[in-house]
């Protein structure tokens, strides 16, 4: 225990804790030293033979994040036999960085095969905030003059609305969510109450009815929590005040 902690307001408590654990026998596993040797191999040596043997390659994770899925997809998409790269589920809570001619691109929904000249698909079981998608993923491609219209195809995705992100903010503990609306939109998806991409381009009245029904969970939560939309917006703005924009302006209707 550092001496400066002993001298602070909780010094007595810290000292009590320290005296309680100082004589505990050290865990032997803490002294383990790795003796295993690893040899680094090129994709051509290890990955490409797997691709050559199969018609399709599935890359999935264990729900922990930062597992290297994006980098693996990027490596697989470089193989000349790979024609199509597809994202099959979830939404912008994921992310991977791609460098193209020295320029950095951060994708959340776009498959990294987009930079390899492959056909790319965002499948119908994915969820998408179309405003965030256009601003953060498509706009950088436009600004850099990178063609995408004949290489990127979007299925009938489920729409992440502003109220999904606000629900995520209200119901999630500190640092417990990316605040991308993932849990609420998947709840809407499971209940078959949310809207999908085709609703935005077809019957507007039917789309409005679905939104009104899906909004019940949002309005009921605000009522049960004693929150007004004004107070909720203020809380979001205060959280964004450090410059790290967790709730984007379009969710708060801020120009």
């Amino acid at each position: 225990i550092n001496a400066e902690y002993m001298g602070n307001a909780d010094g007595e408590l810290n000292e009590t804790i320290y005296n309680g654990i100082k004589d505990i026998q050290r865990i032997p596993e803490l002294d383990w030293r790795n003796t295993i040797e690893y040899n680094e191999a090129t994709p051509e040596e290890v990955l490409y033979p797997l691709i050559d043997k199969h018609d399709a390659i599935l890359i999935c994770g264990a729900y922990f994040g930062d597992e290297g899925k994006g980098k693996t997809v990027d490596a697989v998409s470089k193989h000349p036999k790979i024609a199509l790269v597809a994202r099959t589920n979830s939404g912008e809570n994921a992310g991977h960085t791609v460098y193209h001619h020295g320029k950095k691109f951060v994708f959340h929904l776009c498959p990294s095969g987009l930079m390899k000249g492959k056909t790319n698909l965002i499948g119908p079981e994915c969820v998408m905030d179309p405003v965030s998608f256009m601003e953060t993923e498509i706009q950088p491609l436009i600004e850099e003059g990178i063609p995408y219209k004949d290489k990127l195809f979007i299925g009938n995705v489920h729409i992440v609305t502003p109220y999904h992100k606000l629900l995520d903010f209200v119901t999630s503990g500190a640092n417990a969510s990316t605040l991308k609306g993932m849990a609420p939109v998947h709840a809407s998806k499971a209940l078959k109450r949310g809207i999908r991409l085709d609703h935005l381009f077809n019957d507007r009245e039917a789309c409005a009815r679905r939104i009104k029904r899906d909004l019940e969970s949002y309005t009921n939560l605000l009522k049960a929590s004693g929150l007004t939309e004004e107070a909720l917006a203020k809380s979001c703005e205060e959280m964004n005040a450090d410059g790290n924009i967790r709730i984007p302006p379009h969710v708060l209707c801020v120009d």
Side-chain angles (χ1 to χ4, degrees):
I1 302 294
N2 193 302
E4 68 176 289
Y5 292 106
M6 292 297 192
N8 67 17
D10 297 319
E12 292 184 4
L13 176 60
N14 290 334
E15 186 172 4
T16 300
I17 295 173
Y18 172 70
N19 289 330
I21 65 175
K22 66 179 182 179
D23 295 323
I24 295 178
Q25 185 177 358
R26 183 176 175 82
I27 301 173
E29 285 78 6
L30 293 175
D31 297 318
W32 178 80
R33 294 291 182 269
N34 177 42
T35 58
I36 301 174
E37 293 185 1
Y38 295 90
N39 294 319
E40 186 173 339
T42 65
E44 289 78 10
E45 292 176 300
V46 177
L47 187 59
Y48 282 18
L50 292 175
I51 298 173
D52 289 333
K53 293 179 182 178
H54 300 87
D55 294 326
I57 301 294
L58 173 65
I59 300 167
C60 57
Y63 297 94
F64 292 107
D66 293 328
E67 301 159 298
K69 298 185 293 294
K71 291 182 179 179
T72 303
V73 172
D74 187 59
V76 169
S77 67
K78 293 177 181 177
H79 191 287
K81 290 186 178 180
I82 295 296
L84 183 145
V85 182
R87 172 79 183 273
T88 58
N89 60 15
S90 203
E92 64 174 325
N93 57 316
H96 52 279
T97 301
V98 176
Y99 287 89
H100 182 69
H101 298 316
K103 178 70 175 180
K104 178 181 176 181
F105 294 86
V106 179
F107 291 148
H108 299 282
L109 275 167
C110 282
S112 57
L114 191 61
M115 297 303 194
K116 309 296 185 301
K118 313 289 183 171
T119 298
N120 295 264
L121 171 67
I122 298 175
E125 293 306 311
C126 290
V127 298
M128 174 190 287
D129 177 340
V131 178
S132 289
F133 179 71
M134 292 300 297
E135 289 180 349
T136 64
E137 302 195 48
I138 298 302
Q139 189 60 35
L141 298 176
I142 295 173
E143 291 174 354
E144 293 297 319
I146 297 174
Y148 66 91
K149 292 184 179 180
D150 61 342
K151 294 297 181 182
L152 177 62
F153 299 90
I154 301 172
N156 192 23
V157 294
H158 296 258
I159 299 300
V160 181
T161 68
Y163 61 80
H164 287 125
K165 294 189 174 183
L166 293 173
L167 275 170
D168 203 356
F169 174 69
V170 174
T171 58
S172 298
N175 299 318
S177 170
T178 58
L179 301 183
K180 302 297 186 182
M182 291 300 102
V185 74
H186 281 94
S188 295
K189 177 181 175 182
L191 292 170
K192 298 181 180 179
R193 297 178 64 162
I195 59 173
R196 304 184 74 160
L197 189 61
D198 65 349
H199 290 115
L200 300 180
F201 296 97
N202 290 294
D203 190 335
R204 292 179 63 87
E205 291 184 1
C207 181
R209 287 195 299 268
R210 292 185 69 92
I211 292 176
K212 182 178 180 180
R213 185 184 179 201
D214 198 33
L215 265 170
E216 291 175 359
S217 58
Y218 169 73
T219 54
N220 290 341
L221 178 65
L222 291 187
K223 184 177 180 180
S225 303
L227 278 172
T228 65
E229 287 197 314
E230 291 75 14
L232 177 56
K234 183 178 179 180
S235 295
C236 293
E237 290 169 355
E238 290 174 350
M239 182 182 61
N240 287 342
D242 62 359
N244 183 8
I245 307 301
R246 302 169 185 85
I247 303 294
H250 72 270
V251 173
L252 302 175
C253 296
V254 177
D255 292 333

